[in-house]
Amino acid sequence: MKHLKYTIVAFAVALLAASCSRDELPGEGGDTPATGQMQAYTFTVSPDIVMEGDAGTRSEGTDAEMPTRCFMQVFDSEFNKVNEKEEAKITDGSCTFEVLLAAGKEYQIAFYADNSNAPVQNDLTNIRYDPSSGKVVAYGELVKGKPENMDWEVTLTHIVTKITLKHVGDPFTVEAGEEFKISYPCADAYDVLNNAASTGNGYEDFTYTFSEEKTIGDGDEVCSFYTIVPYQVENNPEITLNLHHLTQTISDIELQVNSHVTLQGDLSEDNPKWGATSEYAQKQIDFFFKKEDGTSEGTLEGGTYNFYLPPGNITDLAAVLSAIFHKNVELDLTKNFYIFEEVLDNDYTFAVRNNRSSMRLDIFINNNKTFHILYADWNSGNYQNFSVVSDKLKNQTE
């Protein structure tokens, strides 16, 4: 019985001697493991949620930005996979991994963490990144060297960039359910081993929906989201905004990993930098050219609706077109044929063609002749006056 007891004790001592931690390094008060000897090493992993910001500011991070899970995978010095990835739950800001490694051998150990629930199906050389929610905060780190010489306290840093949209200007109101759509550069995968983002299609869409009617004031942050920037667009990224059914593109933005970028400007509809979308134009056309019951203004004749517009009031039509397309429009009746053309969203077309001989303007929407505007005096009593359209704009601005 004594012999059995001593054997068990000796076996326990052997197990303790084979496991290394920060407090018990090989060679410190003990024998240095021989090259190739397998040792159990414990890595303590902690994400740094502080992120550098633009203009000298920083994002200190929030509880929502703390990752909930972490993965570790070991590769040799030739980038060959040594083991399958392991997962650990992050609790109180850290987690631990224990792995058997050969002393004296060079390794590359990849770590990845995020706050997502989506399965990580591939190796850490090809982590699929899902940006749809805009809230996936991802971290990574690569530790290289011989295990006995590695730092076993691993700090993870962001592999994402945080982007915040901020309004500067007069207050404006958004409706409940209104959407703020943003197209931005984003990779669809990340390789921790090579510290590189893939491109995928290069751009993704993020939609922020206002849950209730809200007034956006001067200096208010509207929304934030995260992205892994594809390396192909790092030097010339563009972000396209779509709000109020209007659109504008921002370029010359510096997007760096582990940084917080705030894009600020006038996000109200009054900003002339916004351009119309087809949805905005159709909404405006309905407002100006339709009655409250949904029927069209104008005098129906030959399948089109006709208006009379005194030639001296051509600026009334120009003002209406300016409101429809959210841009300054000028019309010149001395020119023949097309005096205004607009293409939106690559497939929505609107054109005004001038027929000087008959003193008539033809309006084409998606190549369909929709309205006639006659500016010859002899038509003044035959058709509805264009003022029924242009007065709606004047009533808006009063």
Side-chain angles (χ1 to χ4, degrees), residues 112-145:
Y112 170 81
D114 64 23
N115 59 347
S116 173
N117 294 318
V120 177
Q121 298 176 336
N122 302 320
D123 290 338
L124 298 191
T125 59
N126 185 26
I127 304 165
R128 310 305 294 178
Y129 183 71
D130 179 13
S132 57
S133 69
K135 299 183 182 298
V136 177
V137 190
Y139 300 76
E141 187 62 38
L142 184 66
V143 178
K144 299 180 181 181

CSV table of all heavy atoms in Angstrom, one decimal, residues 112-145:
chain,number,residue,atom,x,y,z
A,112,TYR,N,-7.7,35.4,-32.0
A,112,TYR,CA,-8.7,36.2,-32.6
A,112,TYR,C,-9.9,36.2,-31.6
A,112,TYR,O,-10.2,35.2,-31.0
A,112,TYR,CB,-9.2,35.6,-33.9
A,112,TYR,CG,-10.5,36.2,-34.4
A,112,TYR,CD1,-10.5,37.4,-35.1
A,112,TYR,CD2,-11.8,35.6,-34.2
A,112,TYR,CE1,-11.6,38.1,-35.6
A,112,TYR,CE2,-12.9,36.2,-34.7
A,112,TYR,CZ,-12.8,37.4,-35.4
A,112,TYR,OH,-14.0,38.0,-35.8
A,113,ALA,N,-10.5,37.4,-31.4
A,113,ALA,CA,-11.6,37.5,-30.5
A,113,ALA,C,-12.7,38.5,-31.1
A,113,ALA,O,-12.3,39.4,-31.9
A,113,ALA,CB,-11.2,38.1,-29.2
A,114,ASP,N,-13.9,38.3,-30.8
A,114,ASP,CA,-15.0,39.2,-31.2
A,114,ASP,C,-16.2,39.1,-30.3
A,114,ASP,O,-16.2,38.3,-29.4
A,114,ASP,CB,-15.4,39.0,-32.7
A,114,ASP,CG,-16.0,37.6,-33.0
A,114,ASP,OD1,-16.5,37.0,-32.0
A,114,ASP,OD2,-16.0,37.1,-34.1
A,115,ASN,N,-17.2,39.8,-30.6
A,115,ASN,CA,-18.4,39.8,-29.8
A,115,ASN,C,-19.6,39.3,-30.6
A,115,ASN,O,-20.8,39.6,-30.4
A,115,ASN,CB,-18.8,41.2,-29.3
A,115,ASN,CG,-19.0,42.2,-30.5
A,115,ASN,OD1,-18.6,41.9,-31.6
A,115,ASN,ND2,-19.5,43.4,-30.2
A,116,SER,N,-19.3,38.4,-31.6
A,116,SER,CA,-20.3,37.8,-32.4
A,116,SER,C,-20.7,36.4,-31.9
A,116,SER,O,-20.0,35.8,-31.2
A,116,SER,CB,-19.8,37.8,-33.9
A,116,SER,OG,-20.7,37.1,-34.7
A,117,ASN,N,-21.9,36.0,-32.4
A,117,ASN,CA,-22.3,34.6,-32.2
A,117,ASN,C,-22.2,33.7,-33.4
A,117,ASN,O,-22.5,32.6,-33.4
A,117,ASN,CB,-23.8,34.6,-31.7
A,117,ASN,CG,-23.9,35.3,-30.3
A,117,ASN,OD1,-23.1,35.0,-29.4
A,117,ASN,ND2,-25.0,36.0,-30.2
A,118,ALA,N,-21.8,34.4,-34.5
A,118,ALA,CA,-21.7,33.6,-35.8
A,118,ALA,C,-20.6,32.6,-35.7
A,118,ALA,O,-19.5,32.8,-35.1
A,118,ALA,CB,-21.4,34.6,-36.9
A,119,PRO,N,-20.8,31.4,-36.2
A,119,PRO,CA,-19.8,30.3,-36.1
A,119,PRO,C,-18.5,30.7,-36.9
A,119,PRO,O,-18.6,31.3,-38.0
A,119,PRO,CB,-20.4,29.1,-36.7
A,119,PRO,CG,-21.5,29.6,-37.6
A,119,PRO,CD,-22.0,30.9,-36.9
A,120,VAL,N,-17.4,30.5,-36.3
A,120,VAL,CA,-16.1,30.6,-37.0
A,120,VAL,C,-15.7,29.3,-37.6
A,120,VAL,O,-15.2,28.4,-36.9
A,120,VAL,CB,-15.0,31.2,-36.1
A,120,VAL,CG1,-13.7,31.3,-36.8
A,120,VAL,CG2,-15.4,32.5,-35.5
A,121,GLN,N,-16.0,29.0,-38.8
A,121,GLN,CA,-15.9,27.7,-39.4
A,121,GLN,C,-14.5,27.4,-40.0
A,121,GLN,O,-14.1,26.2,-40.0
A,121,GLN,CB,-17.0,27.6,-40.5
A,121,GLN,CG,-18.4,27.7,-40.0
A,121,GLN,CD,-19.4,27.6,-41.1
A,121,GLN,OE1,-19.1,27.9,-42.2
A,121,GLN,NE2,-20.6,27.2,-40.7
A,122,ASN,N,-13.8,28.4,-40.3
A,122,ASN,CA,-12.5,28.2,-41.0
A,122,ASN,C,-11.3,28.4,-40.0
A,122,ASN,O,-11.5,28.8,-38.8
A,122,ASN,CB,-12.3,29.1,-42.2
A,122,ASN,CG,-13.4,29.0,-43.2
A,122,ASN,OD1,-13.8,27.8,-43.5
A,122,ASN,ND2,-13.9,30.1,-43.8
A,123,ASP,N,-10.1,28.1,-40.4
A,123,ASP,CA,-8.9,28.4,-39.6
A,123,ASP,C,-8.8,29.9,-39.4
A,123,ASP,O,-9.5,30.7,-40.1
A,123,ASP,CB,-7.7,27.9,-40.3
A,123,ASP,CG,-7.6,26.3,-40.3
A,123,ASP,OD1,-8.3,25.7,-39.5
A,123,ASP,OD2,-6.9,25.8,-41.2
A,124,LEU,N,-7.9,30.3,-38.5
A,124,LEU,CA,-7.7,31.7,-38.3
A,124,LEU,C,-7.0,32.4,-39.4
A,124,LEU,O,-6.6,33.6,-39.3
A,124,LEU,CB,-7.0,31.9,-36.9
A,124,LEU,CG,-7.7,31.4,-35.7
A,124,LEU,CD1,-7.0,31.8,-34.4
A,124,LEU,CD2,-9.2,31.7,-35.7
A,125,THR,N,-6.7,31.7,-40.5
A,125,THR,CA,-6.1,32.3,-41.7
A,125,THR,C,-7.2,32.8,-42.6
A,125,THR,O,-7.0,33.5,-43.6
A,125,THR,CB,-5.2,31.3,-42.4
A,125,THR,OG1,-6.0,30.2,-42.8
A,125,THR,CG2,-4.1,30.9,-41.6
A,126,ASN,N,-8.5,32.5,-42.3
A,126,ASN,CA,-9.6,32.9,-43.2
A,126,ASN,C,-10.9,33.0,-42.3
A,126,ASN,O,-11.8,32.2,-42.5
A,126,ASN,CB,-9.8,31.8,-44.3
A,126,ASN,CG,-10.8,32.3,-45.3
A,126,ASN,OD1,-11.1,33.4,-45.5
A,126,ASN,ND2,-11.5,31.3,-46.0
A,127,ILE,N,-10.9,34.0,-41.5
A,127,ILE,CA,-12.1,34.2,-40.6
A,127,ILE,C,-13.1,35.1,-41.4
A,127,ILE,O,-12.8,36.2,-41.8
A,127,ILE,CB,-11.7,35.0,-39.3
A,127,ILE,CG1,-10.5,34.2,-38.6
A,127,ILE,CG2,-12.9,35.2,-38.4
A,127,ILE,CD1,-9.8,35.0,-37.6
A,128,ARG,N,-14.3,34.6,-41.6
A,128,ARG,CA,-15.3,35.3,-42.3
A,128,ARG,C,-15.9,36.4,-41.4
A,128,ARG,O,-16.2,36.2,-40.2
A,128,ARG,CB,-16.5,34.4,-42.7
A,128,ARG,CG,-16.0,33.1,-43.4
A,128,ARG,CD,-15.2,33.4,-44.6
A,128,ARG,NE,-15.9,34.0,-45.7
A,128,ARG,CZ,-15.4,34.4,-46.8
A,128,ARG,NH1,-14.1,34.2,-47.0
A,128,ARG,NH2,-16.1,35.0,-47.7
A,129,TYR,N,-15.9,37.6,-41.9
A,129,TYR,CA,-16.4,38.8,-41.1
A,129,TYR,C,-17.7,39.2,-41.6
A,129,TYR,O,-17.9,39.5,-42.8
A,129,TYR,CB,-15.4,39.9,-41.3
A,129,TYR,CG,-15.8,41.1,-40.4
A,129,TYR,CD1,-15.7,41.1,-39.1
A,129,TYR,CD2,-16.2,42.3,-41.1
A,129,TYR,CE1,-16.0,42.2,-38.3
A,129,TYR,CE2,-16.6,43.4,-40.3
A,129,TYR,CZ,-16.5,43.4,-38.9
A,129,TYR,OH,-16.8,44.5,-38.2
A,130,ASP,N,-18.7,39.3,-40.7
A,130,ASP,CA,-20.1,39.6,-41.1
A,130,ASP,C,-20.3,41.0,-40.6
A,130,ASP,O,-20.5,41.3,-39.4
A,130,ASP,CB,-21.1,38.7,-40.4
A,130,ASP,CG,-22.5,39.0,-40.7
A,130,ASP,OD1,-22.7,39.9,-41.6
A,130,ASP,OD2,-23.4,38.5,-40.1
A,131,PRO,N,-20.4,42.0,-41.5
A,131,PRO,CA,-20.6,43.4,-41.1
A,131,PRO,C,-22.0,43.9,-41.0
A,131,PRO,O,-22.3,45.0,-40.8
A,131,PRO,CB,-19.8,44.2,-42.2
A,131,PRO,CG,-20.1,43.3,-43.4
A,131,PRO,CD,-20.2,41.9,-42.9
A,132,SER,N,-23.0,43.0,-41.3
A,132,SER,CA,-24.4,43.4,-41.5
A,132,SER,C,-25.0,44.2,-40.3
A,132,SER,O,-25.7,45.1,-40.5
A,132,SER,CB,-25.2,42.2,-41.8
A,132,SER,OG,-25.2,41.2,-40.8
A,133,SER,N,-24.6,43.8,-39.1
A,133,SER,CA,-25.2,44.5,-37.9
A,133,SER,C,-24.4,45.8,-37.6
A,133,SER,O,-25.0,46.7,-36.9
A,133,SER,CB,-25.1,43.6,-36.7
A,133,SER,OG,-23.8,43.4,-36.3
A,134,GLY,N,-23.2,45.9,-38.1
A,134,GLY,CA,-22.4,47.1,-37.9
A,134,GLY,C,-21.8,47.1,-36.5
A,134,GLY,O,-21.1,48.0,-36.1
A,135,LYS,N,-22.0,46.0,-35.7
A,135,LYS,CA,-21.6,46.0,-34.3
A,135,LYS,C,-20.6,44.9,-34.0
A,135,LYS,O,-20.3,44.7,-32.8
A,135,LYS,CB,-22.8,45.8,-33.4
A,135,LYS,CG,-23.9,46.9,-33.5
A,135,LYS,CD,-25.0,46.7,-32.6
A,135,LYS,CE,-26.1,47.8,-32.7
A,135,LYS,NZ,-25.6,49.1,-32.4
A,136,VAL,N,-20.0,44.2,-35.0
A,136,VAL,CA,-19.0,43.2,-34.7
A,136,VAL,C,-17.7,43.9,-34.5
A,136,VAL,O,-17.1,44.4,-35.4
A,136,VAL,CB,-19.0,42.2,-35.8
A,136,VAL,CG1,-17.9,41.2,-35.6
A,136,VAL,CG2,-20.3,41.5,-36.0
A,137,VAL,N,-17.2,43.8,-33.3
A,137,VAL,CA,-15.9,44.4,-32.9
A,137,VAL,C,-14.9,43.2,-32.8
A,137,VAL,O,-15.1,42.3,-32.1
A,137,VAL,CB,-15.9,45.1,-31.6
A,137,VAL,CG1,-14.6,45.9,-31.4
A,137,VAL,CG2,-17.1,46.1,-31.5
A,138,ALA,N,-13.9,43.2,-33.7
A,138,ALA,CA,-12.9,42.1,-33.8
A,138,ALA,C,-11.5,42.5,-33.3
A,138,ALA,O,-11.1,43.6,-33.6
A,138,ALA,CB,-12.9,41.6,-35.2
A,139,TYR,N,-10.8,41.6,-32.7
A,139,TYR,CA,-9.5,41.8,-32.2
A,139,TYR,C,-8.6,40.6,-32.7
A,139,TYR,O,-9.0,39.5,-33.0
A,139,TYR,CB,-9.5,41.8,-30.7
A,139,TYR,CG,-10.3,42.8,-30.0
A,139,TYR,CD1,-11.7,42.7,-30.0
A,139,TYR,CD2,-9.7,43.9,-29.4
A,139,TYR,CE1,-12.5,43.7,-29.4
A,139,TYR,CE2,-10.5,44.9,-28.8
A,139,TYR,CZ,-11.9,44.8,-28.8
A,139,TYR,OH,-12.7,45.7,-28.2
A,140,GLY,N,-7.3,40.9,-32.8
A,140,GLY,CA,-6.4,39.9,-33.2
A,140,GLY,C,-5.0,40.1,-32.7
A,140,GLY,O,-4.6,41.2,-32.3
A,141,GLU,N,-4.1,39.1,-32.7
A,141,GLU,CA,-2.7,39.2,-32.3
A,141,GLU,C,-2.0,37.9,-32.7
A,141,GLU,O,-2.6,36.8,-32.8
A,141,GLU,CB,-2.6,39.4,-30.8
A,141,GLU,CG,-1.2,39.7,-30.3
A,141,GLU,CD,-0.6,41.0,-30.9
A,141,GLU,OE1,-1.4,42.0,-31.0
A,141,GLU,OE2,0.6,41.0,-31.2
A,142,LEU,N,-0.7,38.1,-33.1
A,142,LEU,CA,0.1,37.0,-33.5
A,142,LEU,C,1.4,37.0,-32.6
A,142,LEU,O,2.1,38.0,-32.6
A,142,LEU,CB,0.5,37.1,-35.0
A,142,LEU,CG,1.3,35.9,-35.6
A,142,LEU,CD1,0.5,34.6,-35.6
A,142,LEU,CD2,1.8,36.2,-37.0
A,143,VAL,N,1.6,35.8,-31.9
A,143,VAL,CA,2.8,35.7,-31.1
A,143,VAL,C,3.7,34.7,-31.8
A,143,VAL,O,3.4,33.6,-32.2
A,143,VAL,CB,2.4,35.2,-29.7
A,143,VAL,CG1,3.6,35.0,-28.8
A,143,VAL,CG2,1.4,36.1,-29.0
A,144,LYS,N,5.0,35.2,-31.9
A,144,LYS,CA,6.0,34.4,-32.6
A,144,LYS,C,7.2,34.0,-31.7
A,144,LYS,O,7.5,34.8,-30.7
A,144,LYS,CB,6.5,35.1,-33.8
A,144,LYS,CG,5.5,35.5,-34.9
A,144,LYS,CD,6.2,36.2,-36.0
A,144,LYS,CE,5.2,36.6,-37.1
A,144,LYS,NZ,5.8,37.3,-38.2
A,145,GLY,N,7.8,32.9,-32.0
A,145,GLY,CA,9.1,32.6,-31.3
A,145,GLY,C,9.0,31.2,-30.7
A,145,GLY,O,8.1,30.4,-30.9
